[in-house]
Every structure is written in structure tokens, then in C-alpha cells.
Amino acid sequence: MLSFRRMVLASRASVCGVMITCGTVALSDEPGAVVPASATVVPAEIKVPAPAAETTPPAPPVAETPFVDVEVEAPEVAYVIVDGVTHSKRGKLRKLRLSRREKKRLAMVVANWSEMGQDRRIERMVDLSKPTRIVFTLDDLTANEQQLLDLTNQARANSGLPMLRIDPRLCRAARLHSANMARFNSMSHYLEGRSHQNRTAEAGYPSGMVAENICASQRDPQSAVYTWLNSSGHRANMLSYQYADIGVGIGYNSSGTPYYTQVFGR
């Protein structure tokens, strides 16, 4: 009776592909197949993806410091002014720590001193994004003197002539003469018994082949150059092949009237 029951269960189980023997269930891949109880069921292989290669995370952004160090080399007689604020430190080399303001990347640095009774003001724009060194010298041109030079060379270029080189010695002679004309309120090539040849020699310029243009009361460098270009003698000096060097100077009297000087040499 017991054998008959086992045969019936085995027969019914084989229809579903399941075989029950002594409490053990074995699965068969094919319907109707009988799997021996001793068979081992091997699960399907599961492919596990390889771990991703380790990458170095980007470095966190470096926080910007609220200050930037600026070294200013300037004449000892000069005051250094930053965005309208005068720094009282004296000496040839000034070390300043400037504040980086929100959305402000540039600062105006000015060297200011008095020379021959004239106010000298030289300006530089400074990038506040990194430490910077600025150099000012006694021979630097003011903004108006630079414009006087540029307009003169532009007139020469328009006539197919080479540009004139700026010469510090001729500039000193030109500035001295403009300052004296302003002091005496007199527009003249001869002051204090000296000519332009005397002034350039005293400034250390080695050649006596020099010429000079002067004018007064023109409101700006552009007007001064326009005046000279419309005067035959002055125009001849400006557009001459003979000269290779130039010095420029501007002086102001107590009323603010400007006196302009150009000195040409070779």
C-alpha cells in the first residue's frame, strides 16, 4: 500500500516537473522530467559589474583673500595715492596691502610730487586679482605730456615720417622751460639769459643740434599741436627728417594757464 502511494505521488509530480523524494524538492528544466534526488541544482551565473575606477575628486576652490599686496617703487619725494587715499609711507619702495572690494578688480595708483614748482601726477591702473609691482620714475610723463608726444608722432606718421624717440634729458629741458615760462608769465625762447641750446646741454643732451617749439594758453595738448601744425616754422620742426629725439613739458601758472614746450634733437 505504501509503495503504491509513492508511485502515485511520483507519477503526479513528474507531470509538473517537480520530484518529491524524502522531503527533498528538485527542479527540472524540462516539463515531465524526473530529476534524481541526488542531483545538485546550480544557480545561473550572475555577472556583477566591476567596480568603477577610483578618481581623484577635484580640489575645492581656493578662497580668495580679501587683500592683495602691491609693491610701489616711486621717487622718495612722491606721495602714493590709491583710489584717492594718500598713503603716508615714504621711501623708494612702498609695500601696500590693498583691500579687494566686491566686484572691484582695478585700483588707481598715483605718484604725486612737486618739481620746479609744478605738480607732477603720474597715474597707473592696478589689477587687484594678483600681487603687483609698480614702478614710477622722475622721468615718467604725465597724461597730458603723453598726449602731446602721441599727437606729434601721429602727425609725423601721417606725413610718412618715423616716430620720434622720447629722451629723458630733452624732457627735463622742456619741463624746466615750461615751468619758467609759467613762473614769469612769459612765452619766450630766452629766459634767465639762456637759450634752448643752453638748457639741453645743462640737461646732459650731448648734441647741439636741437630745436624748440613753444606755445601758451591752448586749452589742451590737441589744441597746442594744432597750433604748431598751422605755423610754418613750428611745423617744419615737427615734421623734419633731421630729428630723431624729442622731449615734452607742460607747466601751469598760478591762474592755471598752460605753457607747452617741445624740444627736438639728434
Side-chain angles (χ1 to χ4, degrees), residues 84-215:
V85 178
T86 301
H87 291 256
S88 59
K89 292 182 180 179
R90 289 298 186 112
K92 189 172 183 181
L93 183 63
R94 332 282 174 91
K95 294 185 178 181
L96 309 177
R97 174 158 284 188
L98 306 183
S99 174
R100 285 192 179 105
R101 302 175 196 169
E102 185 178 359
K103 297 183 180 179
K104 181 175 176 61
R105 291 298 176 186
L106 297 175
M108 173 70 76
V109 179
V110 177
N112 185 239
W113 68 93
S114 179
E115 180 182 283
M116 295 177 286
Q118 296 293 314
D119 186 63
R120 301 288 296 171
R121 180 183 174 90
I122 312 300
E123 301 176 348
R124 299 275 193 276
M125 292 302 296
V126 178
D127 182 0
L128 296 180
S129 65
K130 57 186 177 181
T132 306
R133 182 184 179 93
I134 317 166
V135 178
F136 295 97
T137 73
L138 292 173
D139 294 321
D140 287 342
L141 301 181
T142 65
N144 281 341
E145 288 170 346
Q146 184 66 51
Q147 188 179 10
L148 197 64
L149 170 66
D150 293 342
L151 290 171
T152 300
N153 275 327
Q154 182 180 329
R156 289 177 63 87
N158 292 342
S159 298
L161 296 168
M163 296 176 62
L164 297 171
R165 300 183 301 258
I166 193 71
D167 187 284
R169 298 162 296 186
L170 295 182
C171 281
R172 287 194 286 273
R175 289 203 302 269
L176 173 64
H177 192 51
S178 287
N180 279 339
M181 288 193 295
R183 181 160 62 96
F184 292 112
N185 290 313
S186 173
M187 189 184 74
S188 172
H189 290 287
Y190 295 89
L191 283 177
E192 299 182 305
R194 292 181 297 174
S195 67
H196 59 285
Q197 287 96 342
N198 300 134
R199 290 188 288 273
T200 55
E202 290 169 3
Y205 193 71
S207 172
M209 185 177 176
V210 291
E212 183 179 78
N213 284 349
I214 57 175
C215 65

